[in-house]
Amino acid sequence: MPSSGRSPTTPPGRAAAAPRRSRSLSPPWKSGWQPRNVLNSLWQEIFLPESRKPDYKLVKEITVLCQKVRCCNLSGKERSKLLTEALRKMDGKYLEIAGSPVAASVLKLCVQWCSQSEMDPVFVALQPHLLDLSRNKDTGFLVNYIIKGASKEQFALFISSLHGHVASLLHHTIGASVVDRAFHQATRPQKRSLLLELCSTELQLSKDLAQEKQCRLSVLNIISKHGLQKSSVLQHMTTIIQPVLEKGIVEYSIVHMVISEYLTIADKTSALDVIRQLIPHLIQGSSVLDEDVIGQLIPHLTPTKSKAQKKRSKAKKKRSSELLLIRIMQTKEGLKLGLACLKHGLEKEEDYQKLEGAY
Protein backbone atom coordinates (compact mmCIF):
# COMPACT_ATOMS: atom_id res chain seq x y z
CA MET A 1 0.00 0.00 0.00
CA PRO A 2 1.54 3.37 -1.00
CA SER A 3 2.44 5.81 1.73
CA SER A 4 0.03 8.72 2.25
CA GLY A 5 2.78 11.14 3.36
CA ARG A 6 1.43 11.35 6.94
CA SER A 7 2.96 9.90 10.06
CA PRO A 8 1.02 7.08 11.78
CA THR A 9 0.04 9.40 14.63
CA THR A 10 -1.14 12.28 12.43
CA PRO A 11 -4.94 12.55 12.34
CA PRO A 12 -6.53 12.32 8.89
CA GLY A 13 -7.07 15.66 7.18
CA ARG A 14 -4.07 17.35 8.81
CA ALA A 15 -0.64 17.83 7.35
CA ALA A 16 2.33 16.42 9.16
CA ALA A 17 3.94 18.94 11.52
CA ALA A 18 7.44 20.06 10.75
CA PRO A 19 10.08 18.48 12.99
CA ARG A 20 11.21 20.68 15.86
CA ARG A 21 14.60 22.22 15.55
CA SER A 22 16.96 22.03 18.45
CA ARG A 23 17.74 25.44 19.90
CA SER A 24 21.15 26.64 18.79
CA LEU A 25 23.21 29.20 20.65
CA SER A 26 25.20 30.12 17.58
CA PRO A 27 24.48 33.46 15.87
CA PRO A 28 21.76 33.34 13.21
CA TRP A 29 23.90 34.80 10.43
CA LYS A 30 25.46 32.56 7.79
CA SER A 31 28.86 31.06 8.39
CA GLY A 32 30.15 32.44 5.09
CA TRP A 33 29.83 36.05 6.31
CA GLN A 34 32.06 37.15 9.16
CA PRO A 35 30.16 39.60 11.41
CA ARG A 36 31.79 42.47 13.21
CA ASN A 37 33.20 42.05 16.68
CA VAL A 38 30.48 44.30 18.06
CA LEU A 39 27.75 41.95 16.86
CA ASN A 40 29.57 38.95 18.28
CA SER A 41 30.03 40.55 21.68
CA LEU A 42 26.41 41.75 21.71
CA TRP A 43 25.17 38.25 20.89
CA GLN A 44 27.30 36.73 23.65
CA GLU A 45 26.19 39.36 26.17
CA ILE A 46 22.46 38.87 25.52
CA PHE A 47 21.92 35.24 24.60
CA LEU A 48 24.81 33.19 25.97
CA PRO A 49 24.58 31.93 29.56
CA GLU A 50 27.13 33.30 31.99
CA SER A 51 29.02 30.02 32.18
CA ARG A 52 29.48 29.89 28.38
CA LYS A 53 30.84 33.42 27.94
CA PRO A 54 34.55 33.61 27.09
CA ASP A 55 36.88 34.11 30.07
CA TYR A 56 33.94 33.81 32.46
CA LYS A 57 36.00 32.03 35.13
CA LEU A 58 38.83 34.55 34.79
CA VAL A 59 36.46 37.53 35.20
CA LYS A 60 34.90 35.89 38.24
CA GLU A 61 38.31 35.27 39.86
CA ILE A 62 39.67 38.76 39.32
CA THR A 63 36.38 40.28 40.51
CA VAL A 64 36.78 38.45 43.82
CA LEU A 65 40.35 39.76 44.07
CA CYS A 66 39.09 43.26 43.31
CA GLN A 67 36.63 43.11 46.19
CA LYS A 68 39.49 42.22 48.53
CA VAL A 69 41.70 45.03 47.21
CA ARG A 70 39.00 47.64 47.79
CA CYS A 71 38.89 46.99 51.53
CA CYS A 72 40.06 50.17 53.26
CA ASN A 73 41.71 48.32 56.19
CA LEU A 74 44.10 46.39 53.90
CA SER A 75 47.84 46.89 54.33
CA GLY A 76 50.05 47.99 51.47
CA LYS A 77 51.84 44.65 51.16
CA GLU A 78 48.60 42.68 51.06
CA ARG A 79 47.12 45.01 48.44
CA SER A 80 50.28 44.78 46.32
CA LYS A 81 50.19 40.99 46.53
CA LEU A 82 46.55 40.83 45.42
CA LEU A 83 47.20 43.25 42.54
CA THR A 84 50.17 41.21 41.35
CA GLU A 85 48.06 38.06 41.40
CA ALA A 86 45.24 39.74 39.46
CA LEU A 87 47.63 41.10 36.83
CA ARG A 88 49.25 37.66 36.52
CA LYS A 89 45.85 36.12 35.78
CA MET A 90 45.11 38.81 33.17
CA ASP A 91 48.52 38.58 31.50
CA GLY A 92 48.13 38.29 27.72
CA LYS A 93 44.38 39.00 27.84
CA TYR A 94 44.33 42.71 28.67
CA LEU A 95 42.41 43.68 25.53
CA GLU A 96 39.76 40.99 26.09
CA ILE A 97 39.45 42.04 29.73
CA ALA A 98 38.96 45.67 28.70
CA GLY A 99 36.03 44.59 26.54
CA SER A 100 33.97 43.52 29.56
CA PRO A 101 32.46 46.33 31.68
CA VAL A 102 33.01 44.52 35.00
CA ALA A 103 36.49 43.27 34.11
CA ALA A 104 37.48 46.72 32.81
CA SER A 105 36.70 48.15 36.27
CA VAL A 106 39.00 45.55 37.80
CA LEU A 107 41.77 46.38 35.33
CA LYS A 108 41.30 50.09 36.08
CA LEU A 109 41.78 49.38 39.79
CA CYS A 110 44.97 47.41 39.07
CA VAL A 111 46.35 50.21 36.88
CA GLN A 112 45.53 52.73 39.60
CA TRP A 113 47.46 50.92 42.34
CA CYS A 114 50.12 48.84 40.56
CA SER A 115 53.82 49.71 40.25
CA GLN A 116 55.44 51.12 37.12
CA SER A 117 57.03 47.77 36.22
CA GLU A 118 53.59 46.12 36.38
CA MET A 119 52.08 48.99 34.40
CA ASP A 120 54.47 48.64 31.45
CA PRO A 121 53.07 45.38 29.95
CA VAL A 122 49.50 46.74 30.28
CA PHE A 123 50.45 49.88 28.35
CA VAL A 124 52.31 47.91 25.66
CA ALA A 125 49.31 45.62 25.13
CA LEU A 126 46.69 48.39 25.03
CA GLN A 127 48.67 51.22 23.39
CA PRO A 128 47.57 50.40 19.79
CA HIS A 129 43.92 50.36 20.94
CA LEU A 130 43.82 53.38 23.28
CA LEU A 131 42.01 55.59 20.78
CA ASP A 132 39.20 53.04 20.37
CA LEU A 133 39.01 52.50 24.13
CA SER A 134 38.80 56.28 24.62
CA ARG A 135 35.43 56.34 22.85
CA ASN A 136 33.89 53.63 25.04
CA LYS A 137 31.97 54.61 28.16
CA ASP A 138 33.18 51.47 29.99
CA THR A 139 36.89 51.96 29.18
CA GLY A 140 37.25 55.75 29.11
CA PHE A 141 38.12 55.83 32.81
CA LEU A 142 40.63 53.03 32.23
CA VAL A 143 42.42 55.10 29.57
CA ASN A 144 42.51 58.10 31.93
CA TYR A 145 44.23 56.02 34.61
CA ILE A 146 46.65 54.58 32.05
CA ILE A 147 47.57 58.11 30.99
CA LYS A 148 47.97 59.18 34.61
CA GLY A 149 50.32 56.29 35.44
CA ALA A 150 52.30 56.33 32.19
CA SER A 151 55.97 57.25 32.09
CA LYS A 152 57.22 60.24 30.08
CA GLU A 153 58.10 58.05 27.11
CA GLN A 154 54.75 56.25 27.21
CA PHE A 155 52.85 59.52 27.51
CA ALA A 156 54.76 60.94 24.53
CA LEU A 157 53.69 57.88 22.51
CA PHE A 158 50.06 58.51 23.45
CA ILE A 159 50.30 62.19 22.47
CA SER A 160 51.74 61.21 19.09
CA SER A 161 48.89 58.72 18.60
CA LEU A 162 46.40 61.57 19.10
CA HIS A 163 47.75 63.32 16.01
CA GLY A 164 44.87 63.77 13.58
CA HIS A 165 42.21 62.56 16.06
CA VAL A 166 41.92 65.43 18.56
CA ALA A 167 38.91 67.07 16.90
CA SER A 168 36.97 63.81 16.53
CA LEU A 169 37.61 62.91 20.18
CA LEU A 170 36.43 66.35 21.34
CA HIS A 171 33.10 65.65 19.66
CA HIS A 172 32.71 62.49 21.75
CA THR A 173 31.52 62.73 25.36
CA ILE A 174 33.99 60.18 26.71
CA GLY A 175 36.77 60.95 24.27
CA ALA A 176 36.74 64.62 25.26
CA SER A 177 37.53 63.67 28.88
CA VAL A 178 40.54 61.64 27.69
CA VAL A 179 41.86 64.51 25.57
CA ASP A 180 41.37 66.92 28.48
CA ARG A 181 43.26 64.58 30.81
CA ALA A 182 46.13 64.45 28.33
CA PHE A 183 46.00 68.24 27.96
CA HIS A 184 46.34 68.76 31.72
CA GLN A 185 49.29 66.39 31.95
CA ALA A 186 51.07 67.58 28.79
CA THR A 187 54.07 69.88 28.58
CA ARG A 188 53.79 73.23 26.80
CA PRO A 189 55.09 71.88 23.45
CA GLN A 190 52.64 68.96 23.71
CA LYS A 191 49.77 71.34 24.52
CA ARG A 192 50.81 73.41 21.53
CA SER A 193 50.61 70.36 19.26
CA LEU A 194 47.10 69.60 20.48
CA LEU A 195 45.99 73.19 19.95
CA LEU A 196 47.53 73.41 16.46
CA GLU A 197 45.27 70.61 15.25
CA LEU A 198 42.23 72.62 16.24
CA CYS A 199 43.35 75.77 14.41
CA SER A 200 43.86 74.69 10.82
CA THR A 201 43.90 71.59 8.63
CA GLU A 202 47.22 72.78 7.20
CA LEU A 203 48.88 72.54 10.60
CA GLN A 204 47.55 69.01 11.14
CA LEU A 205 49.86 67.75 8.39
CA SER A 206 53.02 68.90 10.16
CA LYS A 207 54.36 67.28 13.30
CA ASP A 208 57.42 69.54 13.59
CA LEU A 209 55.54 72.71 14.58
CA ALA A 210 55.11 71.51 18.15
CA GLN A 211 58.89 71.36 18.59
CA GLU A 212 59.44 75.05 17.88
CA LYS A 213 61.00 77.20 20.58
CA GLN A 214 58.09 79.63 20.66
CA CYS A 215 55.47 77.84 22.74
CA ARG A 216 52.97 80.58 23.49
CA LEU A 217 49.49 79.17 22.99
CA SER A 218 47.85 81.94 20.97
CA VAL A 219 45.94 81.61 17.70
CA LEU A 220 46.87 85.17 16.69
CA ASN A 221 50.59 84.35 16.99
CA ILE A 222 50.11 81.13 15.03
CA ILE A 223 48.30 82.96 12.21
CA SER A 224 50.90 85.72 11.96
CA LYS A 225 53.92 83.42 12.19
CA HIS A 226 52.81 80.78 9.68
CA GLY A 227 51.03 83.12 7.30
CA LEU A 228 47.62 81.48 7.60
CA GLN A 229 44.41 83.00 6.33
CA LYS A 230 42.23 84.21 9.17
CA SER A 231 39.03 83.24 7.35
CA SER A 232 40.14 79.62 6.89
CA VAL A 233 41.19 79.35 10.55
CA LEU A 234 37.82 80.75 11.64
CA GLN A 235 35.96 78.33 9.40
CA HIS A 236 37.93 75.35 10.67
CA MET A 237 37.51 76.29 14.34
CA THR A 238 33.78 76.84 13.78
CA THR A 239 33.40 73.28 12.49
CA ILE A 240 35.06 72.05 15.70
CA ILE A 241 33.30 74.30 18.22
CA GLN A 242 29.77 74.01 16.86
CA PRO A 243 29.32 70.23 17.51
CA VAL A 244 30.85 70.69 20.96
CA LEU A 245 28.26 73.33 21.82
CA GLU A 246 25.40 71.29 20.35
CA LYS A 247 26.33 68.26 22.46
CA GLY A 248 27.04 70.32 25.58
CA ILE A 249 30.63 69.08 26.04
CA VAL A 250 31.80 72.27 27.74
CA GLU A 251 33.25 71.02 31.05
CA TYR A 252 36.86 70.65 29.93
CA SER A 253 39.78 73.09 29.96
CA ILE A 254 40.88 72.36 26.40
CA VAL A 255 37.37 73.29 25.20
CA HIS A 256 37.53 76.52 27.23
CA MET A 257 40.88 77.39 25.67
CA VAL A 258 39.72 76.70 22.10
CA ILE A 259 36.57 78.81 22.54
CA SER A 260 38.54 81.64 24.20
CA GLU A 261 41.03 81.69 21.32
CA TYR A 262 38.16 81.66 18.85
CA LEU A 263 36.61 84.71 20.52
CA THR A 264 39.87 86.65 20.08
CA ILE A 265 39.82 86.33 16.27
CA ALA A 266 36.08 86.10 15.49
CA ASP A 267 33.95 89.05 14.51
CA LYS A 268 31.45 90.40 17.03
CA THR A 269 28.44 88.67 15.51
CA SER A 270 30.06 85.23 15.47
CA ALA A 271 31.48 85.68 18.97
CA LEU A 272 28.09 86.66 20.39
CA ASP A 273 26.47 83.68 18.69
CA VAL A 274 28.95 81.29 20.33
CA ILE A 275 28.49 82.92 23.76
CA ARG A 276 24.70 82.72 23.48
CA GLN A 277 24.96 78.98 22.79
CA LEU A 278 27.45 78.52 25.62
CA ILE A 279 25.66 80.35 28.44
CA PRO A 280 22.74 77.84 28.86
CA HIS A 281 25.30 75.06 29.47
CA LEU A 282 27.26 77.11 32.00
CA ILE A 283 24.25 77.78 34.23
CA GLN A 284 23.60 74.05 34.65
CA GLY A 285 25.34 71.36 36.67
CA SER A 286 28.18 69.31 35.30
CA SER A 287 27.39 66.26 33.17
CA VAL A 288 30.71 64.53 33.88
CA LEU A 289 30.39 61.13 35.52
CA ASP A 290 32.54 60.59 38.60
CA GLU A 291 33.55 57.43 40.41
CA ASP A 292 30.59 57.65 42.80
CA VAL A 293 28.22 57.34 39.86
CA ILE A 294 30.22 54.40 38.53
CA GLY A 295 30.00 52.78 41.96
CA GLN A 296 26.23 53.11 41.88
CA LEU A 297 26.13 51.52 38.44
CA ILE A 298 28.27 48.60 39.64
CA PRO A 299 27.23 48.09 43.28
CA HIS A 300 29.17 44.90 43.93
CA LEU A 301 32.43 46.74 43.13
CA THR A 302 31.71 49.72 45.37
CA PRO A 303 34.51 50.06 47.95
CA THR A 304 33.96 50.38 51.66
CA LYS A 305 34.83 54.04 52.31
CA SER A 306 36.67 55.40 55.29
CA LYS A 307 35.66 58.62 57.07
CA ALA A 308 38.11 60.68 55.01
CA GLN A 309 36.79 59.19 51.76
CA LYS A 310 33.20 59.90 52.79
CA LYS A 311 34.18 63.50 53.58
CA ARG A 312 35.78 63.93 50.15
CA SER A 313 32.75 62.35 48.50
CA LYS A 314 30.45 64.79 50.30
CA ALA A 315 32.58 67.73 49.16
CA LYS A 316 32.50 66.42 45.59
CA LYS A 317 28.70 66.23 45.64
CA LYS A 318 28.56 69.78 46.98
CA ARG A 319 30.74 70.99 44.11
CA SER A 320 28.56 69.15 41.60
CA SER A 321 25.51 71.08 42.84
CA GLU A 322 27.20 74.40 41.96
CA LEU A 323 26.80 76.09 38.61
CA LEU A 324 29.27 74.98 35.97
CA LEU A 325 30.24 78.62 35.41
CA ILE A 326 31.50 78.88 39.00
CA ARG A 327 33.53 75.68 38.76
CA ILE A 328 35.21 76.38 35.43
CA MET A 329 36.40 79.79 36.68
CA GLN A 330 38.78 77.99 39.05
CA THR A 331 41.12 77.33 36.11
CA LYS A 332 42.95 79.88 33.97
CA GLU A 333 41.21 78.87 30.73
CA GLY A 334 37.79 78.69 32.38
CA LEU A 335 38.26 82.06 34.08
CA LYS A 336 39.05 83.70 30.75
CA LEU A 337 35.97 82.18 29.14
CA GLY A 338 33.73 82.94 32.13
CA LEU A 339 34.76 86.61 32.10
CA ALA A 340 33.95 86.80 28.39
CA CYS A 341 30.46 85.44 29.08
CA LEU A 342 29.94 87.85 32.00
CA LYS A 343 31.13 90.74 29.85
CA HIS A 344 28.62 89.78 27.19
CA GLY A 345 25.86 89.69 29.82
CA LEU A 346 26.75 93.16 31.10
CA GLU A 347 26.83 94.60 27.57
CA LYS A 348 23.45 93.04 26.85
CA GLU A 349 21.99 94.60 30.02
CA GLU A 350 23.39 98.03 29.12
CA ASP A 351 21.89 97.80 25.62
CA TYR A 352 18.55 96.85 27.16
CA GLN A 353 18.68 99.87 29.50
CA LYS A 354 19.50 102.16 26.56
CA LEU A 355 16.48 100.85 24.67
CA GLU A 356 14.27 101.49 27.71
CA GLY A 357 15.56 105.05 27.94
CA ALA A 358 14.88 105.64 24.25
CA TYR A 359 11.24 104.71 24.70
Side-chain angles (χ1 to χ4, degrees):
M1 184 176 179
S3 175
S4 62
R6 298 192 304 266
S7 62
T9 57
T10 303
R14 290 188 181 180
R20 286 190 175 183
R21 294 182 180 179
S22 59
R23 184 186 178 188
S24 175
L25 293 176
S26 59
W29 39 76
K30 299 178 181 179
S31 59
W33 176 67
Q34 296 295 332
R36 296 180 179 179
N37 294 333
V38 177
L39 294 178
N40 275 332
S41 60
L42 183 62
W43 180 267
Q44 293 170 0
E45 192 70 25
I46 296 176
F47 293 102
L48 282 185
E50 292 290 335
S51 57
R52 291 195 57 179
K53 291 181 182 179
D55 301 324
Y56 167 74
K57 293 183 179 180
L58 174 60
V59 173
K60 190 175 181 180
E61 291 175 0
I62 61 177
T63 303
V64 173
L65 291 174
C66 176
Q67 293 174 347
K68 295 179 181 178
V69 171
R70 284 175 174 266
C71 295
C72 60
N73 56 354
L74 201 64
S75 64
K77 291 184 178 180
E78 293 176 347
R79 179 179 286 109
S80 178
K81 185 178 179 180
L82 292 173
L83 291 174
T84 303
E85 184 180 355
L87 289 171
R88 181 184 59 81
K89 291 179 179 293
M90 290 185 286
D91 189 22
K93 297 184 178 180
Y94 295 119
L95 185 59
E96 291 80 1
I97 290 297
S100 172
V102 176
S105 301
V106 178
L107 183 57
K108 184 208 74 170
L109 185 70
C110 294
V111 170
Q112 180 182 359
W113 293 98
C114 69
S115 61
Q116 186 63 45
S117 59
E118 295 173 334
M119 170 71 182
D120 292 340
V122 179
F123 182 86
V124 171
L126 297 181
Q127 194 268 333
H129 311 279
L130 288 180
L131 290 180
D132 295 331
L133 296 176
S134 300
R135 295 180 174 90
N136 192 318
K137 64 179 181 179
D138 298 319
T139 54
F141 290 98
L142 172 62
V143 178
N144 283 332
Y145 276 100
I146 290 176
I147 296 173
K148 184 178 180 180
S151 61
K152 290 184 178 180
E153 294 79 9
Q154 293 171 348
F155 184 73
L157 284 175
F158 178 73
I159 292 293
S160 62
S161 68
L162 288 178
H163 184 74
H165 302 279
V166 179
S168 61
L169 286 174
L170 279 183
H171 297 163
H172 194 279
T173 307
I174 308 299
S177 66
V178 176
V179 175
D180 187 69
R181 175 69 206 182
F183 184 77
H184 276 290
Q185 194 171 333
T187 59
R188 288 192 64 86
Q190 291 171 341
K191 288 182 179 180
R192 179 182 173 84
S193 67
L194 295 176
L195 182 62
L196 286 174
E197 284 200 34
L198 305 176
C199 294
S200 173
T201 53
E202 301 173 2
L203 300 180
Q204 287 184 3
L205 303 177
S206 177
K207 295 184 178 181
D208 301 329
L209 294 175
Q211 307 300 328
E212 295 179 354
K213 293 183 179 180
Q214 182 183 359
C215 294
R216 186 175 180 181
L217 304 178
S218 173
V219 175
L220 289 173
N221 292 340
I222 293 173
I223 292 175
S224 60
K225 183 171 184 178
H226 300 287
L228 301 176
Q229 293 184 358
K230 185 178 178 180
S231 59
S232 63
V233 174
L234 275 171
Q235 183 178 2
H236 180 71
M237 294 186 72
T238 302
T239 59
I240 293 176
I241 293 174
Q242 194 61 36
V244 170
L245 294 176
E246 291 175 357
K247 295 181 180 181
I249 311 174
V250 295
E251 301 93 349
Y252 307 109
S253 296
I254 186 171
V255 176
H256 305 158
M257 188 168 202
V258 173
I259 297 178
S260 299
E261 293 296 332
Y262 175 83
L263 296 178
T264 59
I265 62 174
D267 58 280
K268 188 174 182 180
T269 304
S270 302
L272 291 180
D273 181 58
V274 169
I275 291 176
R276 288 192 188 101
Q277 296 182 65
L278 180 63
I279 287 177
H281 299 295
L282 297 182
I283 60 177
Q284 297 176 359
S286 176
S287 61
V288 180
L289 291 177
D290 55 13
E291 294 185 10
D292 293 339
V293 178
I294 298 301
Q296 294 175 6
L297 297 176
I298 312 176
H300 61 280
L301 292 181
T302 305
T304 55
K305 295 184 178 181
S306 61
K307 292 183 178 180
Q309 290 173 333
K310 290 180 179 179
K311 187 176 181 180
R312 289 195 296 267
S313 178
K314 187 177 180 180
K316 186 186 295 184
K317 290 180 180 179
K318 183 179 179 181
R319 289 195 303 269
S320 63
S321 63
E322 296 175 348
L323 295 180
L324 182 59
L325 177 62
I326 298 176
R327 290 201 302 279
I328 69 169
M329 293 181 72
Q330 297 176 5
T331 63
K332 182 179 179 181
E333 297 84 3
L335 177 62
K336 188 176 180 180
L337 183 60
L339 291 177
C341 295
L342 292 175
K343 182 181 178 182
H344 164 69
L346 293 175
E347 291 178 353
K348 187 175 180 181
E349 185 177 355
E350 290 176 359
D351 294 341
Y352 181 73
Q353 290 176 357
K354 289 179 181 179
L355 288 174
E356 281 187 338
Y359 286 101

